[in-house]
Amino acid sequence: MKLIRKAMLAAALGAAWAGTPAMANDDAIAAAVNADYDGYLDELFVHFHLNPELSFLETNTAARMAAELRAAGLEVTEGVGGTGVVGMLKNGDGPLILLRADMDGLPVPEKSGLPYASTAKQVGQDGVEYPVMHACGHDVHITSMVGTARRLMAMKDKWSGTLMFVVQPAEERVGGARAMVEDGLYDRFGKPDYAVAFHVSSELPTGMVSASEGIQYSSADSVDIVVPGIGAHGASPHAGRDPVYIASQIVTALQSIASRETMPLDPVVVTVGAFHSGTKHNIISDRADLQLTVRANDEKVRAATLASIERIAVNIGRAHGLPEDMLPKVTVSEGTPVTNNDPALARRLNAAMKRTFGEESVPDFKQKGMGAEDFAFFVTEDLGVPGYYFAVGGTPAEAFEAAANGGPPVPSHHSPLFKISPRESVTVGTRAMIAAVLDLAPAE
């Protein structure tokens, strides 16, 4: 049966690419991508979904991606920035284009009810074992990258240049892109003329793509605040300095940054996601720990917000009589800048997407939250690499209609219930990446 299936796939692909001008038209590309999904990529997606791995620990995923890209004909280098993989495809003169896909999963127990739901567990870098799930669609991204490499290799007469396929670790920790750049990505493989990536979106209907001509994602910083105290008996609070009380005032005061320090038209989010202190009802602890996520849409606002957090925390400590050598300590453990699309490149590629999918399938991008993306490290202003990051619809329109009529809500990213339509997501993402390459690197 497998031999018959492979023969049928070969015939379908051959028919899709046989002939003359029709070889590169959108219908032929769509037919070839769909056939490749049904014959090959479907099983690959299920494999990735069943075998997610945590950030910076994507050893097996990286090895499989390296094998897939080699099998497609690329020159592959492993171990870039940790578990990162780079596949190079040279095809004559033309621009160098970076195509990126992230590969890490999340410490989330899957409750999607899918027949291929993940039951994987993995020990994280902190030594704790977690359930792991692709709760953000990175399995779509890497499957689509394989499909993109296979298709572009099959149509080398339709484009000219060099493609850098970047399989990136640790996007969820917003550290993988930076690690790859710091490991000499551009020195070792060349500085790209363009960088392109996409993210599947559960908030966008399948069949659609959307990209901003400016900001695409907010900045994100993980901030830790250690609040020292002086331990005492719970019945004698005057004998100590209560870090729970001090930290509680810090939590409340932090909200003044958005409401009273930042210009109202500049969005800022300061969320305290964790508050840990103490061990017993009647013991005043000697320490409290706060964990924050901080978001902004402007780098100056981001810097000012981080400075305000430190000022507030330290001075509330002072106000409660903590000695100078015991003031709250603020550190930023992880962070990524604002992700801005290059306006000229975005206009150009949005036009290409409209030609490929139709005007109605490329709606104007609307920022609906303050999610972040470390793709920003590939296209920071000092690097001078124009970037284009776009969204690909992952949820059927019928699911939105059902939710509007009282049915189950569409699960968000990072939810245990998260799920997307893999065939529609992978094939549209693949076609969109191909369209970007054909527009930016047309055959001579």
Side-chain angles (χ1 to χ4, degrees), residues 216-238:
Q216 187 79 12
Y217 285 103
S218 305
S219 66
D221 292 284
S222 295
V223 180
D224 299 287
I225 305 178
V226 176
V227 182
I230 299 173
H233 195 292
S236 302
H238 61 286

Side-chain angles (χ1 to χ4, degrees), residues 201-206 393-400 410-411 419-421 425:
S201 172
S202 67
E203 297 182 339
L204 190 67
T206 51
T395 301
E398 299 78 34
F400 292 108
V410 174
K419 59 182 177 181
I420 46 78
S421 297
S425 303

Side-chain angles (χ1 to χ4, degrees), residues 254-386:
L254 290 176
Q255 301 312 309
S256 69
I257 297 173
S259 66
R260 288 297 176 268
E261 293 191 26
T262 308
M263 205 273 277
L265 298 181
D266 289 331
V268 167
V269 168
V270 180
T271 294
V272 179
F275 189 141
H276 301 286
S277 185
T279 58
K280 192 72 175 69
H281 304 72
N282 60 351
I283 299 173
I284 292 176
S285 176
D286 61 1
R287 172 171 169 161
D289 293 281
L290 303 177
Q291 295 178 346
L292 288 62
T293 187
V294 180
R295 310 295 172 112
N297 278 0
D298 178 88
E299 286 299 303
K300 291 182 179 178
V301 173
R302 176 192 181 199
T305 301
L306 294 174
S308 293
I309 290 171
E310 182 165 18
R311 186 195 75 240
I312 288 170
V314 168
N315 284 295
I316 285 180
R318 284 195 177 102
H320 283 276
L322 291 177
E324 288 295 310
D325 62 349
M326 289 182 59
L327 295 176
K329 182 178 180 181
V330 179
T331 57
V332 179
S333 57
E334 300 168 342
T336 185
V338 175
T339 299
N340 287 305
N341 280 343
D342 179 81
L345 179 61
R347 285 192 292 272
R348 175 177 177 176
L349 291 184
N350 278 345
M353 297 304 163
K354 291 176 181 178
R355 291 194 300 271
T356 301
F357 299 104
E359 291 272 348
E360 70 286 350
S361 296
V362 188
D364 292 339
F365 178 81
K366 295 180 180 179
Q367 190 180 20
K368 296 182 179 180
M370 298 193 77
E373 240 299 337
D374 72 345
F375 177 75
F377 283 110
F378 295 123
V379 295
T380 53
E381 188 174 348
D382 60 307
L383 291 174
V385 177

